[in-house]
Amino acid sequence: MLDRAMEAMASVVLSHRIEGRNVGAGSERALIDPGRALSFAAVPDGGPDDVSAAVAAARDALAGPWQSMKPADRGQLLMVASQRLMAEQDRFALVETLNVGKPLRQARADVGTAARFFEYYAGVADKLEGETIPLGPGMMAWTEREPVGVTAQIVPWNAPLAMLARGLAPALAAGCTVIAKPAETTPLTALMLADLLQEVGLPAGVLNVVLGPGHVVGAALAAHPDVNHITFTGSVATGKAVMASAASHLATVTLELGGKSPVVVLDDADLDAAAEGIMRGIFTNAGQICSAAARLVVDRRVADKLLDDITRRARLLDLGHGLQDPDLGPLASETQLKKVDDMVQKAKMAGDRVLAGGVQASGPGYFFQPTIMASRPDRPLAQEEIFGPVLTVLEVDDPAEALRVSNNSRFGLVAGIYTRNIDRALSFARSVEAGQVFVNRFLAGGVETPVGGVKDSGIGREKGLRGLEAYLRVKCTTVAFDAS
């Protein structure tokens, strides 16, 4: 399978994509296969000059062929891109797994999600309608929805293709142009997607890809005066820095800044369904998703039974290289492995109790055992984002305490609840501090359902029709005429 993955990426030119051209100057950065902890390729690191060239290309394309393309034709282009992505699902998934480490079936699902983003927003491109405003005799007013302009997509390393498509597809549907900055460690599928879009007819300069570290390339993008909107997913500290840079030239921002999402299990819950949702929520992509089920808030009357089940399931998970399609792959980098291990070891020393796992797994790659730990709401394990396969268990006495514990966090991305009582479920959904709530199925929904955080989890919404709003601005035209 490794040979197939290397063959799949053999045709990828490892360079920036600026105005439809491959640009490869700059120092090189090694890409590491996290399942083997071995380098398998190298890409150039860009700088401010590359960013300036990409922004200029995007600005020219905005005023050129992209602006003159009919909305229906934009939609058709996005639909063809969706179909091509599905036709090449295996090739994209192999490269994504090699670069990120996630199990192959999860990478295939991510390619499917990316294709669905293009399909969904393809259907919207020719339906971005305005409104008329009644002003009375002799006056007419109407609104139009225009593309916001040049946009930047600063993409994280945990789901490079799906996260890029999540912002890129609505931006293109709205008529914007884009500079994408993939994470420096996982750039490959962004380059492949840029090539695919060019092959299906995207004009040169509409999508540009600049490789390199966030503190150089990402910072230059956020500060560039000709970038009108920035979509960023990453840490709280970096998100605040992006927002501050954008404010210097009044660019708008969409920020998803992580989470410490609670999953509440009440005493009347379907425990089998809850266990399945928790396992999916915390161990998908080795826990490296912003909306991971990081905190299990469980009624102590059912805690023992539920914990017996999920610890048993966790111990049965098989670990391995992502290309072997295991239950659990490696963490994406040595840095992330050290972070997870450090937080777990400190939690042990603080008195948090290990129910399963709790140590690094053997092997040459960056593996950590699926871990379940009992803690308290005020401890770091329950407050800080770990971004690994670590579930923090917090026992409570009743629904009111479950809500208090759930809201006891600086984050507010998603939340979940398992209960057979609809009154309890809706009361929780109304009162929990989160941008998205799942009832009786954690991580339900899809491309159609908007997501975004409150508190330190960020601002703005992505996915669904709400995801278009960041890429559009409203122009109002008012006309006075002779009504006689």
Side-chain angles (χ1 to χ4, degrees):
M1 194 64 75
L2 179 61
D3 290 342
R4 285 185 60 200
M6 295 301 293
E7 181 182 352
M9 64 160 288
S11 61
V12 183
V13 179
L14 303 178
S15 65
H16 315 297
R17 303 290 193 271
I18 300 175
E19 203 172 12
R21 296 177 289 107
N22 301 321
V23 179
S27 59
E28 286 198 334
R29 173 183 300 272
L31 301 182
I32 307 297
D33 172 3
R36 298 178 298 150
L38 292 175
S39 172
F40 66 93
V43 293
D45 271 348
D49 289 345
D50 299 300
V51 169
S52 293
V55 173
R59 180 64 60 188
D60 289 344
L62 186 69
W66 193 231
Q67 187 179 60
S68 62
M69 184 178 288
K70 293 180 179 179
D73 293 338
R74 284 204 308 268
Q76 182 61 32
L77 189 152
L78 296 182
M79 186 64 75
V80 174
S82 173
Q83 294 164 351
R84 277 285 303 275
L85 261 177
M86 289 308 296
E88 299 188 32
Q89 186 177 32
D90 286 343
R91 184 171 77 96
F92 274 82
L94 286 165
V95 174
E96 186 99 323
T97 290
L98 179 65
N99 201 181
V100 180
K102 64 180 59 182
L104 189 57
R105 65 181 176 277
Q106 293 177 19
R108 284 179 57 84
D110 281 1
V111 180
T113 298
R116 175 68 180 130
F117 277 121
F118 283 101
E119 178 185 52
Y120 180 84
Y121 289 108
V124 181
D126 60 352
K127 301 171 185 67
L128 302 176
E129 300 169 349
E131 300 173 316
T132 59
I133 303 169
L135 295 178
M139 300 291 290
M140 178 179 291
W142 66 88
T143 63
E144 298 173 84
R145 302 170 79 187
E146 300 178 332
V148 73
V150 175
T151 68
Q153 301 282 336
I154 303 177
V155 183
W157 46 260
N158 58 327
L161 180 64
M163 295 295 282
L164 174 56
R166 187 171 86 172
L168 175 61
L172 295 180
C176 296
T177 55
V178 178
I179 304 98
K181 207 295 289 183
E184 54 264 39
T185 57
T186 57
L188 295 179
T189 47
L191 298 175
M192 295 167 66
L193 181 58
D195 292 343
L196 183 152
L197 285 166
Q198 187 168 346
E199 289 168 8
V200 301
L202 192 71
V206 174
L207 172 61
N208 306 273
V209 182
V210 181
L211 312 179
H215 70 277
V216 177
V217 175
L221 271 173
H224 200 290
D226 286 336
V227 173
N228 304 107
H229 178 83
I230 302 139
T231 296
F232 169 82
T233 302
S235 72
V236 175
T238 304
K240 290 179 178 179
V242 167
M243 191 171 184
S245 293
S248 68
H249 55 285
L250 298 180
T252 54
V253 296
T254 300
L255 306 175
E256 185 181 303
L257 307 180
K260 191 71 175 178
S261 299
V263 180
V264 170
V265 180
L266 299 182
D267 61 337
D268 63 343
D270 180 335
L271 296 185
D272 287 337
E276 291 175 7
I278 292 160
M279 294 294 291
R280 179 174 60 251
I282 191 58
F283 296 127
T284 295
N285 197 21
Q288 299 169 121
I289 56 176
C290 296
S291 54
R295 291 183 292 156
L296 169 57
V297 182
V298 58
D299 189 302
R300 66 180 75 254
R301 286 167 288 191
V302 296
D304 288 346
K305 183 176 182 180
L306 179 62
L307 292 174
D308 284 347
D309 189 8
I310 62 174
T311 53
R312 176 187 60 81
R313 295 180 189 227
R315 294 188 182 107
L316 291 174
L317 296 177
D318 67 295
L319 279 67
H321 194 288
L323 292 171
Q324 299 168 352
D325 203 20
D327 295 320
L328 198 72
L331 294 167
S333 67
E334 184 178 13
T335 299
Q336 191 61 22
L337 176 63
K338 288 181 177 178
K339 175 190 172 185
V340 172
D341 186 58
D342 182 62
M343 292 186 71
V344 169
Q345 303 318 315
K346 287 180 178 177
K348 289 180 185 177
M349 291 187 288
D352 291 337
R353 183 163 53 96
V354 176
L355 305 179
V359 294
Q360 295 186 36
S362 60
Y366 308 130
F367 293 93
F368 200 87
Q369 288 186 359
T371 296
I372 301 170
M373 296 185 69
S375 186
R376 294 205 309 254
D378 58 339
R379 287 187 171 170
L381 198 71
Q383 291 292 325
E384 298 175 14
E385 186 175 37
I386 300 173
F387 225 62
V390 180
L391 175 67
T392 302
V393 179
L394 307 168
E395 294 188 20
V396 296
D397 290 320
D398 54 43
E401 186 182 5
L403 178 64
R404 288 195 300 272
V405 169
S406 296
N407 286 340
N408 179 29
S409 172
R410 67 191 180 105
F411 295 107
L413 186 58
V414 307
I417 186 168
Y418 284 82
T419 176
R420 290 184 171 92
N421 186 315
I422 190 62
D423 293 334
R424 286 176 165 184
L426 294 181
S427 177
F428 176 83
R430 176 67 60 84
S431 301
V432 72
E433 295 168 347
Q436 189 174 27
V437 183
F438 304 110
V439 177
N440 290 333
R441 181 173 174 80
F442 196 74
L443 299 182
V447 167
E448 304 87 350
T449 53
V451 64
V454 300
K455 301 192 286 191
D456 272 7
S457 285
I459 59 175
R461 294 294 179 264
E462 297 186 83
K463 303 199 307 175
L465 294 179
R466 292 288 183 185
L468 278 162
E469 293 178 358
Y471 304 103
L472 293 164
R473 61 190 179 197
V474 175
K475 175 184 287 182
C476 180
T477 301
T478 303
V479 177
F481 62 93
D482 185 356
S484 61

